Amino acid sequence: MNNKIWLSSPHMGGAEEKYVKEAFDTNWIAPLGPNVDGFEKDLEGYLGSDVHVAALSSGTAALHLALIILDVKADDEVICQSMTFAASANPIAYQGATPVFVDSEDRTWNMSPEYLEKAIVDRISKGKQPKAIIVVHLYGMPAEMDQIMAVADRYEIPVVEDAAEALGSTYKGRKLGTFGAMSILSFNGNKIITTSGGGALVSKNEEWIKKARFLATQARDNAPHYQHSHIGYNYRMSNICAGIGRGQMEVLQERVEARRSNYNFYKNELDASIFKFADEPTAEYFSNRWLTTVIVEHPERVIDREVIRLALEKENIETRPLWKPMHLQPVFEGAPFYGDGTSEQLFEKGLCLPSGSNLTFEEKNKVISNIHKVFAASIA
Ligand SMILES: *Cc1c(COP(=O)(O)O)cnc(C)c1O
């Protein structure tokens, strides 16, 4: 356990305990309190663009509330990037709606604007105007936001940005999480900063954020007794967790720098004829490099992603395949899909390398030397 090299483990900065202690000292041990307010302010200040933020129990909860606020109901259709973590798509099913999956393009690995438009045109021709578009910034890489927003605007469909992996990334100098009608963040234990578990909903529309806070606290009407005219949820962030978040915000910039330097390290050390890296397409894209990912393309195909993954696992080094696209998942079998197989190719060949901001130089060297060993063994 101790010597294991993890894909992405929590990395405390030091101030977290001070905020958590304050919560104890003042007895704010509840899903509200000064840390929750403070963490929301910190995020609003960091993201800029006049956004408002509701701190919630998870990124998944934030996405669920976003769809409720956009009035996604049973029998509606919601477009979602296929290549992503299941949490991007599950809230569509919570609402009884149908996900329509869209493939990735190969520059950013995120939603293809071309197939997005094809999907919209085809769904409309079948009689359904999609209710929302969920676009994801995988591994911190910004999606092609200009093109995606242009398509969404043309058909007047609101965009929900899943920025769970992308806090600290920017597109054309603007923070991810500020482009969508609504956006979500995650502070799960493996993300770039963590509150142990947690998430946030972000929007310029203050009414929506107020509504999210209302729905997240059991939708209690303003009355001395317990009065309800909406179905509510218990989705608010704990004041303890928010204390961790406030401490983490103080080191976010350092975390981005450390993760970006992991990427540069691996890129310098691995053979470019075999390992393809996901470079930022232009200077307009700035990735937080939440995870460093590579496409393994060995000419003779003797060594593939899986051979490397299993060899590293024996050495107690955790790596993972890229996200398996949602249109290939048994649970979403039969859902409409628009694409050309790009995400399937990425899934087949892609590997996520250990990427924590707390990795030591020795640990990263151990990863590299074990990858080199796999190739040396194949020649011998
Ligand atoms: C982590 C993650 C989520 C879910 O966030 P939780 O806080 O774990 O609920 C959603 N989408 C993506 C792309 C993620 O990586």
Side-chain angles (χ1 to χ4, degrees), residues 183-254:
S183 306
I184 72 108
L185 301 170
S186 169
F187 310 109
N188 196 35
N190 58 345
K191 298 300 196 308
I192 191 154
I193 63 166
T194 182
T195 60
S196 71
L201 185 68
V202 181
S203 179
K204 285 184 186 156
N205 185 327
E206 192 173 10
E207 290 313 308
W208 282 350
I209 295 303
K210 283 185 182 157
K211 187 164 183 191
R213 293 194 187 112
F214 167 76
L215 293 171
T217 47
Q218 308 287 19
R220 284 175 57 187
D221 292 341
N222 198 3
H225 56 281
Y226 282 81
Q227 174 84 14
H228 302 275
S229 39
H230 290 267
I231 295 293
Y233 301 85
N234 186 0
Y235 280 174
R236 205 66 164 120
M237 182 179 278
S238 142
N239 194 57
I240 307 282
C241 295
I244 302 173
R246 289 181 86 182
Q248 290 273 278
M249 283 304 285
E250 295 181 12
V251 291
L252 173 56
Q253 214 41 52
E254 287 167 47

Side-chain angles (χ1 to χ4, degrees), residues 56-63 81 83-89 91 134-139 162-166 184-191 196-200 290 323:
L56 301 168
S57 55
S58 71
T60 312
L63 205 44
Q81 183 166 319
M83 190 160 178
T84 185
F85 179 42
S88 305
I134 300 172
V135 59
V136 189
H137 308 293
L138 284 182
Y139 308 115
D162 179 344
E165 302 176 0
I184 72 108
L185 301 170
S186 169
F187 310 109
N188 196 35
N190 58 345
K191 298 300 196 308
S196 71
W290 173 54
W323 298 124

Side-chain angles (χ1 to χ4, degrees), residues 315-332:
E315 298 298 324
N316 221 10
I317 299 170
E318 183 187 23
T319 64
R320 289 265 178 100
L322 303 190
W323 298 124
K324 181 173 180 178
M326 291 302 116
H327 73 278
L328 303 178
Q329 299 285 359
V331 73
F332 292 121

Side-chain angles (χ1 to χ4, degrees), residues 10-202:
H11 185 188
M12 294 299 104
E16 294 85 359
E17 279 177 299
K18 177 189 78 183
Y19 292 108
V20 171
K21 185 172 184 304
E22 265 172 34
F24 274 76
D25 291 346
T26 54
N27 207 29
W28 280 104
I29 314 294
L32 79 168
N35 282 336
V36 175
D37 299 342
F39 187 41
E40 288 178 345
K41 288 257 159 0
D42 290 348
L43 286 165
E44 286 167 358
Y46 178 77
L47 292 170
S49 301
D50 296 322
V51 294
H52 302 274
V53 172
L56 301 168
S57 55
S58 71
T60 312
L63 205 44
H64 189 198
L65 292 182
L67 297 185
I68 292 168
I69 291 167
L70 293 174
D71 197 33
V72 171
K73 295 190 297 280
D75 302 326
D76 283 337
E77 292 187 347
V78 174
I79 293 181
C80 183
Q81 183 166 319
S82 183
M83 190 160 178
T84 185
F85 179 42
S88 305
N90 283 337
I92 303 170
Y94 299 168
Q95 288 304 96
T98 302
V100 173
F101 293 115
V102 169
D103 212 347
S104 295
E105 39 76 19
D106 59 11
R107 291 190 342 145
T108 72
W109 304 0
N110 293 311
M111 184 181 276
S112 153
E114 184 195 335
Y115 282 104
L116 169 63
E117 182 150 27
K118 286 191 172 138
I120 295 171
V121 168
D122 192 53
R123 299 327 289 174
I124 291 175
S125 80
K126 291 184 160 68
K128 282 244 163 105
Q129 162 90 358
K131 267 292 183 69
I133 297 163
I134 300 172
V135 59
V136 189
H137 308 293
L138 284 182
Y139 308 115
M141 177 66 84
E144 294 184 335
M145 286 314 283
D146 274 358
Q147 294 91 319
I148 286 175
M149 295 309 288
V151 173
D153 289 347
R154 201 171 310 141
Y155 299 92
E156 298 181 4
I157 305 170
V159 168
V160 178
E161 251 186 294
D162 179 344
E165 302 176 0
L167 183 61
S169 299
T170 64
Y171 176 75
K172 294 191 167 176
R174 186 165 139 199
K175 298 266 178 5
L176 296 187
T178 66
F179 288 84
M182 275 186 269
S183 306
I184 72 108
L185 301 170
S186 169
F187 310 109
N188 196 35
N190 58 345
K191 298 300 196 308
I192 191 154
I193 63 166
T194 182
T195 60
S196 71
L201 185 68
V202 181

Side-chain angles (χ1 to χ4, degrees), residues 320-376:
R320 289 265 178 100
L322 303 190
W323 298 124
K324 181 173 180 178
M326 291 302 116
H327 73 278
L328 303 178
Q329 299 285 359
V331 73
F332 292 121
E333 206 184 318
F337 169 70
Y338 297 83
D340 59 12
T342 299
S343 61
E344 284 179 52
Q345 281 295 308
L346 291 168
F347 169 62
E348 224 168 85
K349 298 180 186 167
L351 189 67
C352 303
L353 299 175
S355 300
S357 49
N358 49 4
L359 286 179
T360 63
F361 184 65
E362 287 70 28
E363 286 173 320
K364 284 187 273 187
N365 266 325
K366 187 176 165 191
V367 175
I368 291 296
S369 67
N370 278 289
I371 293 176
H372 287 158
K373 258 192 231 162
V374 175
F375 286 91

